[in-house]
Each structure stands twice: as C-alpha cells, then as structure tokens.
Amino acid sequence: MKRFVVLALLLVQYHLFSQNNAFHEKPPVFPACENVAIDALQHCFDTHVYQHIFDTFLVPENVLKEHYKGDVVVIFEVDTTGQFKVIYVEAMYESLKTEVKRVFSAFPKITPATYNGRNTYKQYTVSIKIPLVNQTEIEQNVTKETAIHTIEQQAKTEFDIINKSIEAFADKAFSSQLNIPFTHSDYARFDRNMNLVGTNSHTASKPFVYNDVANYYDFKAEKNKLKKETTTWAGRKLWNEHLVQLQSTDYWFTIDPVFDLEVGTDANADFNSTYNNTRGFLVQGGLGKNFNFYASVFESQGRFAEYVNNYAESLKAFGPDPAIVPGRGIAKRFKKDGYDYPVSEAYLSYAPAKFINIQFGHGKNFIGDGYRSLLLSDVASPHPFLKLNTTFWKLKYTNTWMWLKDVRDDVVQDKAFLSKYMANHYLSWNVSKKLNIGLFESVVWDNSNNRGFDVNYLNPIIFYRAIEFETGQGAGNALLGASAKYKFNDQVNMYGQFILDEFSLGDIKGGDKSWKNKYGYQLGVKYYNAFKVDNLLLQFEYNRIRPYTYSHNTIALNYGHNNQSMAHLWGANFSEAILIGRYHFNRWFADAKLIFGVRGLDFNNGTDNFSYGGDVYRNYNDRPFDTGVTIGQGNKTKIFNGNLQAGYLVNPASNLKIFTDITVRNFNPEAETINTFKSSTVWFNFGIRTDLFNWYFDN
C-alpha cells in the first residue's frame, strides 16, 4: 500500500530591490487565486503548491521499507508561459528524484508571474521533509515571512545544502559502474539470484559491475538486514560504514583502510610459524552517474606454509628477487625467510551508453561459471588491461586486451622483462530461459622485432585466426574455446567449458593419442539452497586438460604472465575433481573445499629433461614422443588439498572479516627430484582481512 507523504515547505520572503518594487511584481497565479487581494497572492500560491504536492506525492516503496527520514531539496521554476519546470533535485534516493519530477510535471499551467506588467519567470526552492505532519494545516499558523525560498536565497545556502547531502550518505556504489570485488565466497551470496530460470543475466565474465547485479539482487536490503544498531561514531565506522564517505549530487567517494593480518602454523615445516602483514588503503567513488574509479594499494610482508613458499620461489623472476608470491607479484626478501611484496590495483570504469561499459586499469579478470577457468582466470599477478563489455538483447560481448610480462632469464633483454600481449573475445548468448552458450577466442603475441602492441588485434569482432594467417602463423598463439550453462530449475544448474589450442583430425581418427591434440574441458554442477537449507551452495567440478595445451614453440608465446598460467593454476597435463560447500547466515559464513587431482610433472633431473606437457612455459618441441600422449604422463603425481574456513563479516561496507581456516594437503609424486618431492601439510591460520580478491593456495 502506498502512503502519502506530508511535506514541509520552508518559505522565505523575496529579496526585492526596494519596498516599492513589490507593487510592480506579481507572483504566479493559480485559477483559484485570481480574485485574491494582491498582497495575499504569494500566500495563495504557496498554499496551492503545498496542497498539490501533498495530494499527488507518493513515497517510493524502497524509501518506505528503509524508514527514511530526511529532506528533498527542489529548485523549480514557473516560466513565462506559466508552466512548472524542475531545475534541480537533491535527494538520497533516485526514486525520490523521479517522483519529484513526476509530481511537478502534473502541475497545471497557470498565469505566469509579471514584473512591470510583463510576463516573467520565477524560480523557487522548496525543502520537502519526509515524513512530517500535514503542512497545509501547519501553514495556517505560519506568518507571511515563512515563504518558499527564492533562487537568490538558494544560492546563499548552497554550501549548507552540500553539507547536508554529505551527511545523508547513500551507497551509490550499489547502482554504479564499479566492479564487485571478485571472491568466490562473496559471489556465492547472489549467485542463485543471477541464475534463476528466466533471468537474462550473463554470469561468466567477471568481475561483475554493481549496476548489472542490482537488477537481480537487492544490495540495499541486504545492507539493512546486516546493519548493527549503534549510537556512536566509532560503532558506525566499525560495524556498518566506510571510514570516510562523502557525497554530493555530482560526485561521491569513500576511503577505507585495508588489512590482511594473519598468524598461523605449518605443523610439518621446520620454521613452523606463518604470518601475513598487509596494510593499505582503498579509494573508490564516482563522478556523475556513469564514471567511477577504484584504487587500492597494499604493502605486505609474509611467510606462508612451506609448500606455498617453495612454489613462490619456483616462480622466481630474473634478478635478485627470490620469489613471486602467487597471484600477487614479485617479492623481495624480508628478514631471513619471509617476503616483501607490494601490490596496487586500480581502474577507471565508464558507461557512455546503457549497454556499454569501458574499463581501463591494472587488475585481473575471469571468464567462467566455475571455481576454475580454462579460458581466462585470476590466478596470475595483476596486469594492465582494457576491457569493453557490450550488453544488448540476449547477448553480452566482452573484449579484453592485456599487457603481460615474461620474467624468465631466457627472455630478458638489457635486464628488462619481455613485454607480451593478449587479446580475447567472449560472446555470451542466452539461447533460452534455461540455456546459455559462449564462444571464446584469444591470442598471445610478443614484442619480437619491435612489433609492440599490434593494432590489428584492436578489432573487436574479427576472428584472431584470420589475423594470425595475415601476420604470419608464428606471430601469435591463438586459442579457441566455448562454454555452456543449463538451468534445470532455480536450484540446480550445470556448466562447462572447452578449450582448444590445436588438434589434428587425422590423428584423432587414428586413435594414436597425438601430442597435437591439445585441448581441455570442464564439467560442473551447482545446487542452491541445497537440501532446502537457505543459503547453502554445493558445487562439484571436474577439469581435465591434455599435455602441451597453452604452450608454444616460441619461447614467449605461452599462455602465461609472471611465470604463472593465465588459465588453470596447474597449467596442463592433469585431471582434477573439486567438491565445494558454501554457507552464510547473516554475517556468519563457512566454506569447505576438497580437491583430488592427478598431474604429470617434468623430472628435470639431469638424465630426463623432457617436457611432458604440464609446464606451459616449456617449449612443446622438447617432448619425448609424438604419440601415446596421455594425461598424467611424466612424473605422475597425486594431490589432495582440503580447506575449511569459517568467519564473521565485521563490516559489510569494507568487507572486513575475521576468519580461521585449516588446510590439509598431500603431494605424492611417483619419483622424487630436487624440485618435486613428497610432502604432507597441515596449515592452521587465523586473521582479520579486507576480502577483495581470491587467494589460491591449492597448487
């Protein structure tokens, strides 16, 4: 049921040049005021404005639900024809602004104001308080001096209005062009809403933009649900709000501290204790409705479980720095056995039209509906990117261009890392209410022969294979892919991916398992509100990639960045099964994950230096044989990785969480070498973290 709003109009008498001017100036006149004495015309005009607003204004449903109390400031004009026009509206909610414009458009055309007998326009400002008693009744006891503000008075109080709007901060991020920070755990909160049968959502290209998800998920309602009642400034900042939040009609921004403070123990390591000490800040905001910005800066020192440290040091770049922290970046030595790894991420996001979003920045992207992606993943370090999302009808088309680095000794030129580039297209099509299919293509090329960024690949629609033939087949490494998702109902959907690097039809028919058949696939299923338990998500996923997929015979044209894969964390030559459970209740959350896998690793022991197809950075011409190529070949290794995490969301505005988790890992190769050896890990961890990105510790 809709409710009438009761409005209070604070009125200030006109500022005229002289008392005599009052006899030459006449306010606008409603038909019912035509026979009123001239000195009572302004009062009659005010009364009819009150009454019209009171009779026609309907408080929007979202404002009613949130029990909002505040002001709506309106500047309006009665022009020389007697028509009412809204010039400016200051309100916390867009729905209030829309309603104000509707109400004023319904004013009847009246006799315009006059000055010295000539028609003139007149501007006024009115402050609408929501909610209050019937202003038309109160107005009977109000003197003539409490009249509608003229525009001159409005100008004098503009600074106060801005201050008032700053105090009444609204989360404009929820309807902005900002990305929702991509973490699998947080995205599970609205995953079901995005995947209801009949929705026209596109869920593969991540991170999502708030404005897109807001069509399916009510962020404001969730915010109010999680809100803690507190009367102190410190309490609000700790439990509910951004540390700094400023807002006006044309801009808004927030500032938050960033923390990832963890302590733990690796029960099977010599050093035993682990830690992470991240401090930083995050700034985000918007200018107007369609332009947003984001920047986060992290300064970190850490020491992880022994298997993570070993992996970080195996990724070592050229130069003195000892490691690359997986997913973060190059690290310097900190004390005896820790790492110092600064990271920054930032981007600009702009929507020139309703169906287009353009982003340029430094960060990561992901394509897929699963925990892993075989097309484009976020496991590697942040990197510069330009992304174009175009959404119309039942289609979403994502173009991404990336600037990457190859940091190995073999490719360093004049002590500088080699630049390489990647461009990909992903077309998502909602074929029906239940079926979605996607088409993917990607190409990697390097800076050899001073080629630089090839403008041929800026074409957003051409097939990359055509460009590869035009520029020379050795000029780039092109991959093709596809995805699909089917919604059985609102509780269950199935998804999958297929990646094709290269294949030989004759070899497939021959059945000799040629090395040329480089492809992989993913199959998965999600079960929402599993077993009728609200907010419980269960997920099963199977990934399988043949040897030599993503690799190339040109040293830098592999599908990687900073010695990490740009697709699956394990590279290629593996099979993997994943079981995931996620649950949240109010601010509490819990996640469980079990991974069972088989990988084929290289021996690299001096007598056998062949590439068996798991390391995407190896030249596939280093293979030991051309046929009989199977998944798990080489140093066959069985892996189990289990993780259980539980925690509490301290502040939804900044996504600050307290958590504890335990990781159990068994790594069992058939042959032990210098770089590959059996290990068993039990890693306990506890901390407080601003959760902004995915950590992948399941290598």
Side-chain angles (χ1 to χ4, degrees):
M1 183 180 70
K2 297 183 178 179
R3 186 186 307 171
F4 288 111
V5 67
V6 183
L7 309 159
L9 307 178
L10 302 177
L11 307 169
V12 176
Q13 189 173 5
Y14 298 112
H15 295 273
L16 304 178
F17 293 112
S18 68
Q19 185 67 29
N20 291 333
N21 282 342
F23 297 103
H24 303 292
E25 187 173 21
K26 187 177 179 181
V29 180
F30 282 92
C33 301
E34 290 178 352
N35 297 321
V36 173
I38 191 168
D39 59 349
L41 281 177
Q42 184 62 56
H43 176 76
C44 187
F45 173 82
D46 297 344
T47 301
H48 279 77
V49 170
Y50 290 135
Q51 193 63 50
H52 175 82
I53 297 176
F54 177 71
D55 290 342
T56 59
F57 199 102
L58 300 176
V59 180
E61 290 293 336
N62 64 319
V63 179
L64 291 174
K65 289 180 180 178
E66 298 187 15
H67 306 290
Y68 171 71
K69 295 181 180 180
D71 295 336
V72 178
V73 178
V74 185
I75 300 176
F76 68 94
E77 171 186 287
V78 181
D79 65 16
T80 57
T81 67
Q83 190 72 48
F84 282 78
K85 294 182 179 179
V86 174
I87 298 173
Y88 170 89
V89 182
E90 171 63 44
M92 177 177 287
Y93 300 91
E94 286 295 327
S95 57
L96 282 173
K97 295 181 181 180
T98 301
E99 179 62 14
V100 165
K101 293 175 182 177
R102 185 194 67 79
V103 168
F104 274 79
S105 68
F107 266 102
K109 194 172 183 179
I110 63 176
T111 302
T114 59
Y115 184 78
N116 283 339
R118 295 181 179 179
N119 291 354
T120 186
Y121 73 92
K122 203 68 179 173
Q123 290 183 345
Y124 301 92
T125 181
V126 59
S127 179
I128 304 173
K129 292 186 178 296
I130 301 176
L132 276 182
V133 294
N134 190 334
Q135 181 63 23
T136 58
E137 297 175 359
I138 295 178
E139 207 266 336
Q140 303 300 322
N141 300 320
V142 178
T143 66
K144 183 179 176 181
E145 293 184 357
T146 59
I148 297 176
H149 282 54
T150 62
I151 193 65
E152 293 89 347
Q153 183 65 22
Q154 168 66 26
K156 293 182 178 181
T157 60
E158 182 179 8
F159 187 80
D160 293 332
I161 291 174
I162 293 174
N163 281 342
K164 185 178 293 184
S165 70
I166 289 174
E167 292 172 4
F169 182 84
D171 262 315
K172 291 189 175 182
F174 296 156
S175 58
S176 73
Q177 298 298 318
L178 282 174
N179 291 333
I180 304 172
F182 177 41
T183 67
H184 292 291
S185 179
D186 288 336
Y187 272 45
R189 288 180 173 263
F190 48 78
D191 201 11
R192 179 179 181 274
N193 301 68
M194 298 283 286
N195 283 289
L196 296 174
V197 174
T199 57
N200 192 33
S201 62
H202 299 269
T203 57
S205 182
K206 299 179 176 75
F208 298 145
V209 173
Y210 276 105
N211 190 49
D212 291 340
V213 179
N215 295 322
Y216 310 100
Y217 183 77
D218 193 336
F219 289 103
K220 291 182 179 179
E222 182 68 12
K223 174 187 175 182
N224 289 332
K225 177 183 175 182
L226 298 179
K227 185 176 180 180
K228 280 184 175 290
E229 295 300 328
T230 178
T231 58
T232 66
W233 178 90
R236 295 199 317 272
K237 298 303 176 182
L238 174 63
W239 299 112
N240 300 319
E241 297 180 0
H242 300 282
L243 180 63
V244 176
Q245 50 187 34
L246 295 177
Q247 173 185 301
S248 186
T249 305
D250 299 323
Y251 68 86
W252 67 273
F253 69 89
T254 65
I255 303 175
D256 288 294
V258 172
F259 300 107
D260 188 354
L261 309 176
E262 305 176 26
V263 293
T265 179
D266 181 349
N268 302 97
D270 294 335
F271 54 79
N272 198 255
S273 65
T274 66
Y275 65 89
N276 192 63
N277 177 20
T278 294
R279 300 88 55 217
F281 64 89
L282 185 156
V283 180
Q284 59 185 349
L287 300 175
K289 294 181 179 180
N290 300 323
F291 182 81
N292 293 98
F293 56 87
Y294 172 102
S296 58
V297 178
F298 309 85
E299 174 61 33
S300 305
Q301 295 81 38
R303 181 175 65 197
F304 309 98
E306 187 172 35
Y307 78 93
V308 178
N309 296 335
N310 291 338
Y311 178 56
E313 297 194 12
S314 74
L315 300 176
K316 180 185 182 305
F318 167 80
D321 298 322
I324 293 178
V325 175
R328 305 312 292 151
I330 295 175
K332 298 179 179 180
R333 178 64 66 194
F334 179 72
K335 295 184 177 179
K336 182 180 179 181
D337 48 13
Y339 308 106
D340 189 327
Y341 58 104
V343 182
S344 62
E345 299 187 44
Y347 64 88
L348 303 176
S349 181
Y350 177 60
K354 183 178 181 180
F355 51 88
I356 296 178
N357 173 263
I358 303 170
Q359 295 188 6
F360 178 69
H362 189 265
K364 298 191 278 189
N365 293 279
F366 186 99
I367 295 177
D369 286 290
Y371 175 69
R372 308 288 199 189
S373 175
L374 312 188
L375 307 181
L376 178 67
S377 185
D378 61 339
V379 300
S381 308
H383 47 269
F385 70 91
L386 172 65
K387 183 165 70 172
L388 174 64
N389 275 317
T390 307
T391 307
F392 63 95
W393 188 52
K394 301 176 183 179
L395 302 175
K396 181 174 183 178
Y397 192 41
T398 302
N399 302 92
T400 312
W401 297 271
M402 289 157 278
W403 288 256
L404 310 176
K405 293 291 184 181
D406 195 319
V407 298
R408 295 171 295 162
D409 295 2
D410 298 339
V411 298
V412 168
Q413 298 176 347
D414 298 326
K415 297 184 179 181
F417 299 139
L418 177 69
S419 295
K420 54 192 289 189
Y421 312 96
M422 181 186 295
N424 60 51
H425 301 158
Y426 180 73
L427 176 64
S428 173
W429 176 28
N430 287 326
V431 181
S432 69
K433 292 182 178 181
K434 293 188 174 184
L435 177 64
N436 170 275
I437 61 173
L439 300 175
F440 174 82
E441 61 174 344
S442 181
V443 67
V444 180
W445 72 99
D446 63 13
N447 197 31
S448 58
N449 300 320
N450 296 318
R451 183 182 181 191
F453 189 91
D454 194 332
V455 295
N456 286 294
Y457 294 114
L458 286 176
N459 191 323
I461 59 176
I462 196 168
F463 288 104
Y464 289 142
R465 283 292 185 185
I467 296 179
E468 188 182 17
F469 279 105
E470 182 178 306
T471 57
Q473 294 189 48
N477 179 17
L479 296 91
L480 298 176
S483 67
K485 178 178 64 180
Y486 187 80
K487 309 171 188 177
F488 291 98
N489 51 49
D490 290 344
Q491 276 65 52
V492 179
N493 71 45
M494 179 175 286
Y495 60 90
Q497 289 184 341
F498 179 78
I499 186 71
L500 177 63
D501 190 351
E502 186 177 350
F503 81 103
S504 171
L505 182 59
D507 290 330
I508 289 179
K509 290 180 178 179
D512 55 3
K513 299 180 180 178
S514 170
W515 74 276
K516 296 179 183 178
N517 297 318
K518 300 184 291 181
Y519 62 85
Y521 62 86
Q522 175 188 86
L523 293 173
V525 61
K526 293 181 180 179
Y527 182 16
Y528 304 104
N529 293 344
F531 306 111
K532 298 183 179 181
V533 178
D534 289 344
N535 304 321
L536 174 62
L537 168 62
L538 298 181
Q539 181 178 358
F540 171 78
E541 183 173 302
Y542 180 75
N543 299 294
R544 186 178 181 89
I545 301 180
R546 279 183 56 77
Y548 308 109
T549 307
Y550 306 116
S551 61
H552 202 266
N553 62 0
T554 302
I555 191 168
L557 296 186
N558 52 72
Y559 205 66
H561 164 64
N562 268 10
N563 289 341
Q564 301 154 88
S565 169
M566 288 294 289
H568 195 289
L569 176 67
W570 291 357
N573 192 13
F574 70 86
S575 62
E576 171 194 47
I578 308 174
L579 292 169
I580 297 174
R582 304 190 189 280
Y583 177 73
H584 68 271
F585 177 74
N586 294 332
R587 295 194 180 209
W588 295 96
F589 66 92
D591 298 302
K593 179 175 58 184
L594 301 175
I595 299 176
F596 304 87
V598 174
R599 299 177 64 182
L601 304 177
D602 297 337
F603 290 97
N604 294 329
N605 57 9
T607 59
D608 186 345
N609 291 317
F610 291 111
S611 169
Y612 287 92
D615 185 351
V616 301
Y617 277 85
R618 294 288 301 271
N619 188 328
Y620 58 58
N621 286 333
D622 294 337
R623 61 188 178 275
F625 34 75
D626 291 343
T627 59
V629 173
T630 60
I631 290 176
Q633 68 179 22
N635 191 359
K636 189 174 183 178
T637 303
K638 295 181 179 179
I639 299 174
F640 168 76
N641 196 308
N643 177 265
L644 178 63
Q645 181 176 128
Y648 183 79
L649 179 60
V650 178
N651 189 329
S654 62
N655 213 25
L656 183 66
K657 301 175 181 178
I658 293 177
F659 72 95
T660 184
D661 73 358
I662 178 173
T663 297
V664 177
R665 179 181 183 267
N666 288 313
F667 189 82
N668 188 16
E670 287 184 345
E672 293 194 87
T673 68
I674 295 176
N675 299 317
T676 305
F677 46 87
K678 294 181 179 179
S679 66
S680 180
T681 302
V682 179
W683 182 17
F684 294 94
N685 218 14
F686 173 80
I688 182 168
R689 174 174 63 214
T690 306
D691 209 5
L692 300 176
F693 53 86
N694 288 310
W695 275 109
Y696 295 98
F697 292 133
D698 39 35
N699 55 289

